[in-house]
Amino acid sequence: MKRPVLLILAATPLLAAAVDYAAEGNLWWAHVQFLADDKLEGRNVGTEGFRKAVEYVSTEFERAGLKPAGASGYLQPVKFETRLLVAEESGMALVRDGNVEPLAMGADATLNARGGAAGTVEAPMVFVGYGLAIPEAHYDELAGVDLHGKIAVYVNGPGPADAPGPLKSHYSSAVERWAALRKAGAVGIATIQNPRVAAPGDAGGRGGRGPAQPVFGLADPALQEITGQAVAIAINARGAEKFFAGSGHTFEEIQKLARDNTPLPRFPLAVSLRAKTVVKSDSLDAPNVVGMLPGSDTRLKNEYVVFSAHLDHVGVGRPVNGDSIYNGAMDNASGIASVLEVARLMKESGAKPKRSILFLAVTAEEKGELGSRYFAAHPTVAEDRIVADINLDMFLPLYPLKYIEVQGLGESTLGETVRAAAKQLGVEVQPDNEPEQNRFIRSDQYSFIRRGVPALAFKFGYAPGSPEEKIRRDWVRDRYHKPSDDLEQPVDKASAALFDRVILGLIERVADDAARPHWYENSFFRRFAER
């Protein structure tokens, strides 16, 4: 769709002019074309392609007149530790009544190098439903279950139907769920994919497809949150019945209950897991990129609005239809392109926001939101002066922008601010259409939320049952974390430009408002600001 030139009347000088969305969409797309080109080989962290992407963003920040705001120019170095499973020396088996039943690596179950130190672990297994303890909802699947020295087996995903979405999102995160399991005495985990939630691994997964990929962790000991796990595995559908045999329950039964979103039973399995994990450890550096548009107000210029998107993707993996490069055009070259476009638009208009704006391209989101976690813990500005994070990740401009879906819409005053920005441009705001996907905790905004900073994330919205909903769902099924998320897919560039203008209006309003954004009194996430 080619959006015509429109006359936008607004209070801000930047928007009080004719906007050629088609032309702006082409400028946005030019950034996507560079970042998602085969030459960058999927921008995996630590690769030459990622280095080229960092160089490109740094250059564009300079061109947009942003001041270097990293620890070294535009760059904030981030150090990582990696662990690569040595598959030929590792293995898993079930031990039943003294008999050992080998498990096929990658087919029956997948051994995660993130869990535990090298060595052999053998422990009983207990199925604990969703493995969740949610105090605010008076919901605790671990109560009365003996997990000491045992491996907790649970269905991944959002958990009980009657718990509020924000609660489920927070407590079902890997960090919070493991904290509860560890407190209950568990020494490891075995996860089962929730049939109601699309499995990232089925569509490429974090880290790409094909040969084993190293798992990443931050080298900073204070930021290593998954500790104490002796073993971590993912149970695959093919091998799942082997785990449940003799327990009085079946994998098919558990899948049906989870699919129907009904409570899950808790019971010991009739097997122990024996796992041998051999890993190869290494380290590498891959930076965040940070630029600043300084504020103009004497007092407010020392407060900061963060505008973030992740720069990395999953690299090169198993070929699909002969293509092995996972370009990551929508995930998330699109978000970085919007960050660059908003910076360009602000320079072009001569915008002078009262608060300073930090433009942030983060590393290692695909490895577990590590770059944003590092920045939120070690910001290059005063931590208590960061007032908001506006984060873009795979916003999917696949059709005309009528609705903008806002994750976190009802949690803070940022919700009303984005409503005003969208209304001015004729776009309707809607809450998350798929709260069970837990997207509010699945991208870089959550690193800021956990530090008490109000934040929002966005997608192109749709009316339920509309053709747009089908386009969105088909994209997730066919292109998410696949080589087909490339430059050949159909994209509505003019609508991407309109989206950028909505985000620009939001950022300008937050930057110029005399009051800082704040969490609502009834928001679950308010607790992080009160620590």
Side-chain angles (χ1 to χ4, degrees), residues 207-239:
R209 306 177 71 164
Q213 299 288 322
V215 296
F216 278 61
L218 289 165
D220 184 344
L223 299 178
Q224 296 173 359
E225 297 178 317
I226 305 294
T227 58
Q229 265 183 23
V231 64
I233 72 168
I235 299 173
N236 298 330
R238 177 180 130 166

mmCIF file of all heavy atoms in Angstrom, residues 207-239:
data_model
loop_
_atom_site.group_PDB
_atom_site.id
_atom_site.type_symbol
_atom_site.label_atom_id
_atom_site.label_comp_id
_atom_site.label_asym_id
_atom_site.label_seq_id
_atom_site.Cartn_x
_atom_site.Cartn_y
_atom_site.Cartn_z
ATOM 1 N N GLY A 207 19.181 -18.553 19.073
ATOM 2 C CA GLY A 207 20.472 -19.148 18.800
ATOM 3 C C GLY A 207 20.544 -19.821 17.452
ATOM 4 O O GLY A 207 21.587 -20.317 17.055
ATOM 5 N N GLY A 208 19.446 -19.825 16.692
ATOM 6 C CA GLY A 208 19.493 -20.364 15.350
ATOM 7 C C GLY A 208 19.280 -21.862 15.314
ATOM 8 O O GLY A 208 19.179 -22.541 16.313
ATOM 9 N N ARG A 209 19.179 -22.395 14.107
ATOM 10 C CA ARG A 209 18.941 -23.812 13.922
ATOM 11 C C ARG A 209 20.218 -24.468 13.442
ATOM 12 O O ARG A 209 21.163 -23.827 13.046
ATOM 13 C CB ARG A 209 17.821 -24.009 12.904
ATOM 14 C CG ARG A 209 16.556 -23.262 13.255
ATOM 15 C CD ARG A 209 15.502 -23.419 12.199
ATOM 16 N NE ARG A 209 14.960 -24.775 12.187
ATOM 17 C CZ ARG A 209 13.823 -25.094 11.586
ATOM 18 N NH1 ARG A 209 13.118 -24.180 10.985
ATOM 19 N NH2 ARG A 209 13.397 -26.336 11.584
ATOM 20 N N GLY A 210 20.197 -25.816 13.441
ATOM 21 C CA GLY A 210 21.341 -26.541 12.921
ATOM 22 C C GLY A 210 22.281 -26.957 14.029
ATOM 23 O O GLY A 210 21.858 -27.359 15.107
ATOM 24 N N PRO A 211 23.601 -26.875 13.781
ATOM 25 C CA PRO A 211 24.583 -27.317 14.777
ATOM 26 C C PRO A 211 24.396 -26.594 16.108
ATOM 27 O O PRO A 211 23.894 -25.473 16.165
ATOM 28 C CB PRO A 211 25.926 -26.939 14.130
ATOM 29 C CG PRO A 211 25.645 -26.857 12.670
ATOM 30 C CD PRO A 211 24.233 -26.367 12.552
ATOM 31 N N ALA A 212 24.823 -27.267 17.174
ATOM 32 C CA ALA A 212 24.676 -26.697 18.514
ATOM 33 C C ALA A 212 25.310 -25.319 18.589
ATOM 34 O O ALA A 212 26.401 -25.082 18.056
ATOM 35 C CB ALA A 212 25.309 -27.626 19.535
ATOM 36 N N GLN A 213 24.606 -24.412 19.224
ATOM 37 C CA GLN A 213 25.078 -23.045 19.409
ATOM 38 C C GLN A 213 25.488 -22.860 20.874
ATOM 39 O O GLN A 213 24.864 -23.440 21.774
ATOM 40 C CB GLN A 213 23.975 -22.045 19.058
ATOM 41 C CG GLN A 213 23.493 -22.122 17.630
ATOM 42 C CD GLN A 213 24.492 -21.576 16.648
ATOM 43 O OE1 GLN A 213 25.160 -20.583 16.915
ATOM 44 N NE2 GLN A 213 24.622 -22.232 15.511
ATOM 45 N N PRO A 214 26.493 -22.057 21.152
ATOM 46 C CA PRO A 214 26.849 -21.796 22.545
ATOM 47 C C PRO A 214 25.762 -20.996 23.241
ATOM 48 O O PRO A 214 25.068 -20.198 22.612
ATOM 49 C CB PRO A 214 28.150 -20.988 22.435
ATOM 50 C CG PRO A 214 28.111 -20.374 21.071
ATOM 51 C CD PRO A 214 27.372 -21.338 20.198
ATOM 52 N N VAL A 215 25.616 -21.235 24.533
ATOM 53 C CA VAL A 215 24.737 -20.390 25.327
ATOM 54 C C VAL A 215 25.581 -19.266 25.922
ATOM 55 O O VAL A 215 26.766 -19.449 26.207
ATOM 56 C CB VAL A 215 24.022 -21.179 26.435
ATOM 57 C CG1 VAL A 215 23.108 -22.217 25.837
ATOM 58 C CG2 VAL A 215 25.007 -21.817 27.390
ATOM 59 N N PHE A 216 24.951 -18.112 26.070
ATOM 60 C CA PHE A 216 25.647 -16.910 26.521
ATOM 61 C C PHE A 216 25.219 -16.547 27.934
ATOM 62 O O PHE A 216 24.057 -16.728 28.316
ATOM 63 C CB PHE A 216 25.312 -15.728 25.606
ATOM 64 C CG PHE A 216 26.120 -15.680 24.328
ATOM 65 C CD1 PHE A 216 26.054 -16.711 23.403
ATOM 66 C CD2 PHE A 216 26.937 -14.597 24.051
ATOM 67 C CE1 PHE A 216 26.777 -16.662 22.226
ATOM 68 C CE2 PHE A 216 27.669 -14.532 22.872
ATOM 69 C CZ PHE A 216 27.593 -15.577 21.956
ATOM 70 N N GLY A 217 26.153 -16.001 28.669
ATOM 71 C CA GLY A 217 25.871 -15.395 29.953
ATOM 72 C C GLY A 217 26.751 -14.175 30.118
ATOM 73 O O GLY A 217 27.806 -14.064 29.483
ATOM 74 N N LEU A 218 26.310 -13.243 30.929
ATOM 75 C CA LEU A 218 27.130 -12.071 31.198
ATOM 76 C C LEU A 218 28.298 -12.459 32.092
ATOM 77 O O LEU A 218 28.147 -13.239 33.039
ATOM 78 C CB LEU A 218 26.293 -10.983 31.864
ATOM 79 C CG LEU A 218 25.258 -10.311 30.947
ATOM 80 C CD1 LEU A 218 24.244 -9.536 31.765
ATOM 81 C CD2 LEU A 218 25.946 -9.407 29.929
ATOM 82 N N ALA A 219 29.462 -11.910 31.782
ATOM 83 C CA ALA A 219 30.647 -12.228 32.584
ATOM 84 C C ALA A 219 30.569 -11.610 33.972
ATOM 85 O O ALA A 219 31.184 -12.120 34.911
ATOM 86 C CB ALA A 219 31.908 -11.749 31.861
ATOM 87 N N ASP A 220 29.815 -10.547 34.117
ATOM 88 C CA ASP A 220 29.651 -9.880 35.407
ATOM 89 C C ASP A 220 28.969 -10.838 36.386
ATOM 90 O O ASP A 220 27.794 -11.190 36.206
ATOM 91 C CB ASP A 220 28.809 -8.620 35.222
ATOM 92 C CG ASP A 220 28.670 -7.805 36.493
ATOM 93 O OD1 ASP A 220 28.960 -8.342 37.578
ATOM 94 O OD2 ASP A 220 28.266 -6.633 36.399
ATOM 95 N N PRO A 221 29.650 -11.281 37.433
ATOM 96 C CA PRO A 221 29.053 -12.255 38.368
ATOM 97 C C PRO A 221 27.760 -11.767 38.999
ATOM 98 O O PRO A 221 26.869 -12.565 39.287
ATOM 99 C CB PRO A 221 30.148 -12.444 39.432
ATOM 100 C CG PRO A 221 31.416 -12.015 38.767
ATOM 101 C CD PRO A 221 31.028 -10.922 37.813
ATOM 102 N N ALA A 222 27.643 -10.466 39.209
ATOM 103 C CA ALA A 222 26.442 -9.922 39.847
ATOM 104 C C ALA A 222 25.209 -10.048 38.967
ATOM 105 O O ALA A 222 24.085 -9.914 39.448
ATOM 106 C CB ALA A 222 26.665 -8.457 40.220
ATOM 107 N N LEU A 223 25.412 -10.297 37.667
ATOM 108 C CA LEU A 223 24.293 -10.362 36.730
ATOM 109 C C LEU A 223 24.030 -11.778 36.231
ATOM 110 O O LEU A 223 23.284 -11.975 35.274
ATOM 111 C CB LEU A 223 24.552 -9.425 35.543
ATOM 112 C CG LEU A 223 24.696 -7.941 35.900
ATOM 113 C CD1 LEU A 223 25.006 -7.115 34.664
ATOM 114 C CD2 LEU A 223 23.433 -7.424 36.583
ATOM 115 N N GLN A 224 24.626 -12.754 36.866
ATOM 116 C CA GLN A 224 24.400 -14.150 36.519
ATOM 117 C C GLN A 224 23.256 -14.674 37.377
ATOM 118 O O GLN A 224 23.434 -14.997 38.547
ATOM 119 C CB GLN A 224 25.684 -14.958 36.710
ATOM 120 C CG GLN A 224 26.804 -14.521 35.768
ATOM 121 C CD GLN A 224 28.131 -15.194 36.062
ATOM 122 O OE1 GLN A 224 28.249 -15.986 36.991
ATOM 123 N NE2 GLN A 224 29.135 -14.880 35.271
ATOM 124 N N GLU A 225 22.080 -14.773 36.786
ATOM 125 C CA GLU A 225 20.861 -14.998 37.571
ATOM 126 C C GLU A 225 20.427 -16.463 37.653
ATOM 127 O O GLU A 225 19.675 -16.828 38.549
ATOM 128 C CB GLU A 225 19.729 -14.158 36.986
ATOM 129 C CG GLU A 225 20.009 -12.658 37.071
ATOM 130 C CD GLU A 225 18.912 -11.823 36.461
ATOM 131 O OE1 GLU A 225 18.425 -12.186 35.375
ATOM 132 O OE2 GLU A 225 18.538 -10.814 37.072
ATOM 133 N N ILE A 226 20.861 -17.285 36.716
ATOM 134 C CA ILE A 226 20.496 -18.700 36.771
ATOM 135 C C ILE A 226 21.656 -19.458 37.391
ATOM 136 O O ILE A 226 22.555 -19.959 36.712
ATOM 137 C CB ILE A 226 20.178 -19.259 35.368
ATOM 138 C CG1 ILE A 226 19.098 -18.414 34.699
ATOM 139 C CG2 ILE A 226 19.737 -20.711 35.454
ATOM 140 C CD1 ILE A 226 17.737 -18.489 35.373
ATOM 141 N N THR A 227 21.672 -19.521 38.704
ATOM 142 C CA THR A 227 22.743 -20.229 39.408
ATOM 143 C C THR A 227 22.146 -21.389 40.194
ATOM 144 O O THR A 227 20.969 -21.375 40.557
ATOM 145 C CB THR A 227 23.481 -19.279 40.369
ATOM 146 O OG1 THR A 227 22.539 -18.732 41.305
ATOM 147 C CG2 THR A 227 24.150 -18.145 39.606
ATOM 148 N N GLY A 228 22.970 -22.382 40.449
ATOM 149 C CA GLY A 228 22.538 -23.515 41.255
ATOM 150 C C GLY A 228 21.857 -24.627 40.492
ATOM 151 O O GLY A 228 21.429 -25.624 41.084
ATOM 152 N N GLN A 229 21.745 -24.493 39.164
ATOM 153 C CA GLN A 229 21.138 -25.548 38.356
ATOM 154 C C GLN A 229 22.193 -26.587 38.008
ATOM 155 O O GLN A 229 23.141 -26.305 37.287
ATOM 156 C CB GLN A 229 20.560 -24.976 37.055
ATOM 157 C CG GLN A 229 19.109 -24.636 37.121
ATOM 158 C CD GLN A 229 18.570 -24.130 35.786
ATOM 159 O OE1 GLN A 229 19.124 -24.417 34.730
ATOM 160 N NE2 GLN A 229 17.498 -23.370 35.847
ATOM 161 N N ALA A 230 21.988 -27.812 38.471
ATOM 162 C CA ALA A 230 22.919 -28.880 38.138
ATOM 163 C C ALA A 230 22.676 -29.422 36.736
ATOM 164 O O ALA A 230 23.603 -29.906 36.076
ATOM 165 C CB ALA A 230 22.805 -30.013 39.154
ATOM 166 N N VAL A 231 21.433 -29.331 36.274
ATOM 167 C CA VAL A 231 21.096 -29.837 34.946
ATOM 168 C C VAL A 231 19.853 -29.122 34.439
ATOM 169 O O VAL A 231 18.966 -28.759 35.219
ATOM 170 C CB VAL A 231 20.871 -31.370 34.970
ATOM 171 C CG1 VAL A 231 19.673 -31.735 35.847
ATOM 172 C CG2 VAL A 231 20.703 -31.936 33.572
ATOM 173 N N ALA A 232 19.785 -28.913 33.126
ATOM 174 C CA ALA A 232 18.605 -28.327 32.491
ATOM 175 C C ALA A 232 18.384 -29.029 31.160
ATOM 176 O O ALA A 232 19.290 -29.084 30.325
ATOM 177 C CB ALA A 232 18.787 -26.825 32.278
ATOM 178 N N ILE A 233 17.184 -29.566 30.970
ATOM 179 C CA ILE A 233 16.867 -30.216 29.706
ATOM 180 C C ILE A 233 15.508 -29.741 29.219
ATOM 181 O O ILE A 233 14.685 -29.234 29.998
ATOM 182 C CB ILE A 233 16.869 -31.758 29.812
ATOM 183 C CG1 ILE A 233 15.662 -32.256 30.605
ATOM 184 C CG2 ILE A 233 18.174 -32.273 30.421
ATOM 185 C CD1 ILE A 233 15.449 -33.767 30.510
ATOM 186 N N ALA A 234 15.249 -29.903 27.931
ATOM 187 C CA ALA A 234 13.934 -29.681 27.343
ATOM 188 C C ALA A 234 13.440 -31.020 26.810
ATOM 189 O O ALA A 234 14.130 -31.669 26.019
ATOM 190 C CB ALA A 234 14.009 -28.650 26.223
ATOM 191 N N ILE A 235 12.278 -31.443 27.266
ATOM 192 C CA ILE A 235 11.696 -32.716 26.833
ATOM 193 C C ILE A 235 10.937 -32.483 25.532
ATOM 194 O O ILE A 235 10.073 -31.610 25.458
ATOM 195 C CB ILE A 235 10.756 -33.277 27.914
ATOM 196 C CG1 ILE A 235 11.529 -33.537 29.214
ATOM 197 C CG2 ILE A 235 10.076 -34.550 27.425
ATOM 198 C CD1 ILE A 235 10.635 -33.937 30.381
ATOM 199 N N ASN A 236 11.247 -33.246 24.513
ATOM 200 C CA ASN A 236 10.587 -33.113 23.223
ATOM 201 C C ASN A 236 9.397 -34.074 23.125
ATOM 202 O O ASN A 236 9.337 -35.084 23.832
ATOM 203 C CB ASN A 236 11.580 -33.373 22.092
ATOM 204 C CG ASN A 236 12.706 -32.363 22.096
ATOM 205 O OD1 ASN A 236 12.516 -31.213 22.511
ATOM 206 N ND2 ASN A 236 13.887 -32.755 21.659
ATOM 207 N N ALA A 237 8.464 -33.753 22.251
ATOM 208 C CA ALA A 237 7.238 -34.543 22.144
ATOM 209 C C ALA A 237 7.535 -36.009 21.844
ATOM 210 O O ALA A 237 6.866 -36.907 22.365
ATOM 211 C CB ALA A 237 6.332 -33.946 21.066
ATOM 212 N N ARG A 238 8.562 -36.254 21.017
ATOM 213 C CA ARG A 238 8.851 -37.635 20.629
ATOM 214 C C ARG A 238 9.211 -38.518 21.825
ATOM 215 O O ARG A 238 8.820 -39.678 21.903
ATOM 216 C CB ARG A 238 10.001 -37.667 19.620
ATOM 217 C CG ARG A 238 10.412 -39.068 19.215
ATOM 218 C CD ARG A 238 11.555 -39.058 18.227
ATOM 219 N NE ARG A 238 12.615 -39.971 18.660
ATOM 220 C CZ ARG A 238 13.607 -40.370 17.884
ATOM 221 N NH1 ARG A 238 13.692 -39.932 16.649
ATOM 222 N NH2 ARG A 238 14.531 -41.186 18.343
ATOM 223 N N GLY A 239 9.940 -37.983 22.777
ATOM 224 C CA GLY A 239 10.406 -38.787 23.899
ATOM 225 C C GLY A 239 9.623 -38.606 25.178
ATOM 226 O O GLY A 239 9.946 -39.233 26.196
#
